Amino acid sequence: MTVLEYPGRAAEWLHALPLGNGRLGAMCWGGSTARFDLNHEGVWSGSPDGDAASAGGTDREAQQLLARARRAATSGRWHEATAPLQALQAPYAQTFLPLGTLEVVTPEAGPGRRSLDLRTGTHTWSRPGGQSRTVVSAVDDVLLHVVDGASSDPVEVRLTSPLHELHREHGPEGIEVRLRAPSDVAPGHEPDLPAATEGPGAVEACVVVGWRRQGDRLVLALAVETTYRGPGSALRGSATELADRARARVGRVLAEDPAEVLRRHDAEHTSLFDRCGVRVDRPGQEPPGTIEERLAVARADPRRALEADPGLAGALLDHARYLLMSSSRGCRLPATLQGLWNLDMRPPWSSSYTLNINTEMNYWPAEVLGLPETVQPLEDLVVALASSGRATARRLGAAGWAAHHNSDAWAFASSVGGGHGDLAWAFWPVGGLWLVRHLVERVRFGSVDDDHVRDVVWPVLRDAAEFALSWLVRAPDGSWGTAPSTSPENTFVDARGRTVAVTCSSAMDRALVRDVLRSVVELAPRIGAESAGLAERAAVVLPDLPGVLVAADGRVMEWGEAQVESDPHHRHVSHLYPLFPGDEPLTATEEAAAAASLERRGDDSSGWSLAWKIALWARLHRPDRVSDLLDLVLRDATGVHGQWAGGLYRNLFAAHPPFQIDGNLGYAAALAECLLQSHRGYVDLLPALPAELATGSAHGLVARPGVVVDLDWADGDLVQAVVRPRSPTPKAVEGRTVVLRWRGREVRRRLAEGPLVVGPADFGATTEGT
């Protein structure tokens, strides 16, 4: 069981500890004046018509600009493509905003300690004479704060907000506040624009707080309602309706014994948390001290941190699963760049959705670590983008739907930049193709049934493939490619020494198009005759769509031809997508090129980049290189300098810097890849186990095509693997033969109702080519 524990009250936001139920989030500071910085998934700037209103010019004019850029790119005049593509840019996506701050003031009672129990989702402040417990319940959709040992002094409760206040009522046992978000918030990279603009059509929120005494116990509940109804939906709800719903929830909770509310919360939360976990043992016993104290000791050790304290690996995985559970379940929107927690009205990168890696990375651990329900909000956003993105594709003269690198609560899909955005990040119309992969992975992991495949996954995949097919152009050698094209956020130097972003057929473009077309061919038999035409078209194109290209220096070619990178150590490794998260079979030469590319990029980078590199090295079966990167993940982010330098803040949030949750969640997915891989049609056990994690166990890992795997290992060797079908669709895999591999040896077993147990002696001879 992982508990984060710290002495005293938090000194700043990055010391506070997060609670969340997917809808309502709170950063808990502890203390006798308990402070909770609040967020709600529906509190965004902007409005449902933001993307459509931002598009300038006609579709015909946009297509003429694109044609100019395409001619420039295909003739090698890459720099000349910049102006017409910038002319296509809309201003920007909108911003995830803070809701406010709740403070509950009780008399000082001496020093205390605060803790967060990840298994139960409970924050506790322990002090002389009593304690305070706080949860954000998914069952009751409230923040519940219970103070035991409270004095009889009057309760002082304060609720403040940076949003525009429309109405307030404050009584002896309650507060009701109605708020309105700004109609527009410009991102920080637009410093000349107003930070926030008030206007009509914006989100409104109602916050209701109530409290009562039970002897020496104080019970407080907070509920939030907003007019936001999800991506692609109109705002809805009057002030009276919002207040009535929030007030009713608070009233129901306060009328109950708080122990029963806590019991319901605990049962729901632990049922998800207990599904999966990793424990890494060490000779003797686990080191004493809190996680913070153990991290300090491990960092000071001359060995690698996990060699000094391997148990920290499982603790950080617990923490990541907790963050994903808390920011993406039972809600309308997926986790943002900061999950569900943001303090700033103008946060870094708008705390929204960056589709060229960060949003996808948030969900890499969802299936393999047993949290498939957390993907549902992402799927809902993708479905909304498949609608709003039709206009984006149409402006490009293409079929289907498209999305560029930024999105928000309103399913924004256009190219951003306001006419001056750097094309390295601003022009990237294949973002939707990457997002579709997550819907397809739900199928591969057995998380959805055939009806869901037909009704939800296939329409989105089909129309993404239609865009991909219509976006392709013929190269002079007869192959298919894309033009204009970029490699996310990276640039190269042209013959005249200029920094250039635009080229033809970047490795990432080709990989994503191949991925989508291969998915069409894979899923078409489950759909039936109506899918045959598209599957045939995809099958015809695939052989002429180049896969991984290896440059003369032995590395993967990032752009359509050999170029000199502006930054050889760039944090993005998009050109290695086919290795991870992709699953395209690679030759030994191509894998060697991927390894050479990783070596050239170097290890040190932002938190999410470290996670991606760990997963890539795991796919290459290189635990030695995994170990190097894990050490960087665990370092103290406050002591690291550099624009792109990852690590952990005091509350274990991962640094980009600043804080981005993808570093936490990507780490968990990467560690899972070290223990279990299933993308090649078999389940590979312990494929990249780092030496410092030589003895341990894992339970609840999930492998394609939908099986749960428990593992035990000692001194780097497999002890036992237990495999069983998973729900909700166990019948889909029962009776199928599952292929397990360990150290190149193979065992085949037919799945039945009971668990399948295998050990080292069950594995046969070494398999050729492994």
Side-chain angles (χ1 to χ4, degrees):
M1 180 176 67
T2 300
V3 178
L4 309 185
E5 186 177 1
Y6 302 85
R9 190 174 188 267
E12 59 180 86
W13 192 85
L14 281 170
H15 294 177
L17 298 170
L19 295 175
N21 64 3
R23 301 175 293 278
L24 176 63
M27 292 293 286
C28 308
W29 292 54
S32 297
T33 297
R35 171 175 170 172
F36 307 98
D37 291 322
L38 304 172
N39 292 96
H40 190 277
E41 63 160 346
V43 179
W44 286 72
S45 61
S47 64
D49 59 356
D51 197 354
S54 68
T58 65
D59 288 353
R60 180 177 175 80
E61 290 169 337
Q63 291 159 21
Q64 290 172 341
L65 290 166
L66 176 63
R68 282 176 50 199
R70 181 167 285 157
R71 286 193 298 270
T74 54
S75 63
R77 296 177 286 109
W78 304 301
H79 196 268
E80 293 180 22
T82 300
L85 291 181
Q86 286 182 325
L88 288 172
Q89 293 174 352
Y92 43 80
Q94 290 297 325
T95 302
F96 177 53
L97 300 170
L99 174 65
T101 296
L102 171 72
E103 293 179 294
V104 183
V105 183
T106 56
E108 292 293 333
R113 296 185 68 85
R114 56 196 173 93
S115 65
L116 173 62
D117 186 329
L118 302 180
R119 181 174 183 268
T120 65
T122 304
H123 181 273
T124 302
W125 170 255
S126 301
R127 67 194 191 287
Q131 66 175 4
S132 304
R133 290 167 294 163
T134 311
V135 301
V136 176
S137 169
V139 180
D140 293 294
D141 199 11
V142 297
L143 180 150
L144 179 72
H145 181 60
V146 180
V147 183
D148 292 313
S151 73
S152 59
D153 294 340
V155 178
E156 183 180 0
V157 178
R158 298 192 286 258
L159 181 64
T160 58
S161 175
L163 306 179
H164 179 67
E165 187 170 310
L166 300 172
H167 179 74
R168 177 182 289 260
E169 295 181 16
H170 196 146
E173 292 189 336
I175 302 173
E176 293 186 15
V177 178
R178 186 156 52 95
L179 304 162
R180 185 173 63 216
S183 59
D184 182 77
V185 171
H189 59 260
E190 296 285 1
D192 297 333
L193 297 178
T197 303
E198 300 292 333
V203 170
E204 291 190 11
C206 181
V207 186
V208 174
V209 188
W211 57 88
R212 64 181 175 86
R213 289 188 178 277
Q214 293 179 335
D216 67 347
R217 171 180 290 171
L218 170 68
V219 183
L220 178 145
L222 176 146
V224 181
E225 284 286 334
T226 77
T227 54
Y228 183 76
R229 290 295 175 268
S233 300
L235 300 179
R236 189 169 69 250
S238 67
T240 300
E241 291 169 339
L242 299 182
D244 286 347
R245 288 199 295 267
R247 195 183 302 122
R249 290 208 302 279
V250 168
R252 283 195 299 270
V253 167
L254 291 180
E256 286 192 75
D257 184 339
E260 178 60 21
V261 181
L262 291 169
R263 186 201 64 76
R264 284 198 301 268
H265 162 79
D266 184 281
E268 187 272 344
H269 187 95
T270 57
S271 70
L272 299 180
F273 189 88
D274 287 350
R275 285 181 191 164
C276 179
V278 173
R279 293 294 173 266
V280 184
D281 303 321
R282 56 177 296 144
Q285 60 181 14
E286 189 175 80
T290 66
I291 298 295
E292 182 180 41
E293 291 164 347
R294 288 169 57 189
L295 274 168
V297 171
R299 288 163 176 161
D301 196 285
R303 299 169 294 173
R304 289 191 173 108
L306 289 181
E307 190 176 355
D309 189 348
L312 291 170
L316 290 179
L317 184 135
D318 283 348
H319 182 247
R321 290 185 74 250
Y322 170 84
L323 293 177
L324 184 56
M325 286 171 49
S326 300
S327 59
S328 187
R329 79 181 191 273
C331 48
R332 296 184 174 99
L333 285 169
T336 73
L337 279 171
Q338 295 176 299
L340 189 58
W341 305 279
N342 165 42
L343 181 66
D344 302 314
M345 285 293 287
R346 206 175 192 181
W349 303 287
S350 301
S351 192
S352 56
Y353 302 111
T354 304
L355 306 184
N356 64 18
I357 174 61
N358 312 99
T359 298
E360 291 87 353
M361 183 177 283
N362 282 354
Y363 290 89
W364 286 353
E367 300 289 352
V368 68
L369 295 181
L371 293 173
E373 52 273 275
T374 64
V375 187
Q376 185 61 55
L378 177 66
E379 182 178 88
D380 293 342
L381 177 60
V382 176
V383 170
L385 280 166
S387 177
S388 62
R390 291 183 181 279
T392 303
R394 188 171 60 247
R395 283 179 63 78
L396 298 173
W401 68 277
H404 287 264
H405 103 295
N406 272 168
S407 192
D408 57 20
W410 318 109
F412 186 95
S414 296
S415 173
V416 299
H420 54 264
D422 185 346
L423 297 181
W425 49 263
F427 183 82
W428 194 66
V430 293
L433 306 188
W434 195 343
L435 289 172
V436 167
R437 179 177 181 85
H438 286 273
L439 277 63
V440 175
E441 287 285 69
R442 300 191 81 190
V443 182
R444 293 170 177 157
F445 276 92
S447 296
V448 296
D449 59 22
D450 284 343
D451 288 342
H452 191 89
V453 176
R454 183 177 55 255
D455 298 338
V456 179
V457 178
W458 179 256
V460 174
L461 171 63
R462 176 196 64 210
D463 292 350
E466 291 287 2
F467 169 76
L469 290 168
S470 63
W471 184 242
L472 291 173
V473 297
R474 281 285 192 186
D477 63 0
S479 65
W480 289 108
T482 59
S485 174
T486 59
S487 188
E489 305 196 31
N490 206 357
T491 57
F492 60 92
V493 180
D494 70 7
R496 295 174 57 181
R498 296 174 296 190
T499 298
V500 180
V502 178
T503 183
C504 297
S505 298
S506 71
M508 181 61 146
D509 278 12
R510 298 194 316 273
L512 289 172
V513 173
R514 288 183 65 86
D515 205 7
V516 165
L517 298 186
R518 289 171 61 232
S519 296
V520 165
V521 174
E522 175 188 344
L523 295 189
R526 301 180 66 157
I527 304 303
E530 67 186 82
S531 68
L534 179 60
E536 290 172 5
R537 291 163 57 204
V540 168
V541 166
L542 277 168
D544 293 330
L545 183 60
V548 174
L549 301 178
V550 180
D553 64 1
R555 292 184 292 149
V556 173
M557 195 180 296
E558 184 163 359
W559 292 276
E561 55 187 271
Q563 304 288 359
V564 177
E565 312 104 303
S566 302
D567 177 7
H569 306 298
H570 198 271
R571 64 199 178 280
H572 279 258
V573 285
S574 307
H575 53 316
L576 304 185
Y577 175 97
L579 182 61
F580 185 92
D583 54 13
E584 191 161 351
L586 302 182
T587 66
T589 298
E590 291 165 347
E591 288 194 351
S597 298
L598 281 170
E599 294 284 6
R600 172 67 166 167
R601 280 289 202 263
D603 288 350
D604 204 357
S605 195
S606 58
W608 61 262
S609 182
L610 293 175
W612 197 352
K613 291 172 183 176
I614 293 171
L616 289 163
W617 282 119
R619 284 279 174 96
L620 290 169
H621 292 198
R622 288 288 303 277
D624 57 326
R625 301 298 284 114
V626 166
S627 295
D628 295 337
L629 289 154
L630 286 173
D631 215 41
L632 296 174
V633 169
L634 268 68
R635 64 187 170 182
D636 183 358
T638 59
V640 177
H641 302 285
Q643 185 179 13
W644 316 115
L648 299 175
Y649 294 110
R650 191 178 180 194
N651 64 359
L652 301 190
F653 277 175
H656 174 72
F659 159 55
Q660 281 187 194
I661 201 170
D662 42 38
N664 295 103
L665 303 181
Y667 156 81
L671 183 62
E673 286 295 313
C674 297
L675 304 178
L676 184 81
Q677 296 177 18
S678 60
H679 59 290
R680 291 285 184 251
Y682 54 85
V683 181
D684 200 358
L685 307 177
L686 306 178
L689 182 68
E692 58 268 37
L693 307 184
T695 299
S697 64
H699 74 275
L701 300 177
V702 181
R704 307 167 185 88
V707 294
V708 178
V709 182
D710 300 336
L711 292 172
D712 288 279
W713 64 93
D715 298 323
D717 290 332
L718 176 70
V719 174
Q720 178 178 273
V722 180
V723 183
R724 60 189 184 277
R726 62 170 297 201
S727 16
T729 56
K731 297 300 179 184
V733 294
E734 280 182 10
R736 292 179 59 173
T737 296
V738 62
V739 180
L740 305 175
R741 286 193 187 182
W742 173 62
R743 292 188 174 175
R745 295 184 287 158
E746 186 173 285
V747 59
R748 295 172 178 264
R749 292 287 188 273
R750 186 174 296 275
L751 287 172
E753 290 185 8
L756 167 66
V757 181
V758 298
D762 296 300
F763 286 85
T766 301
T767 303
E768 291 294 329
T770 59

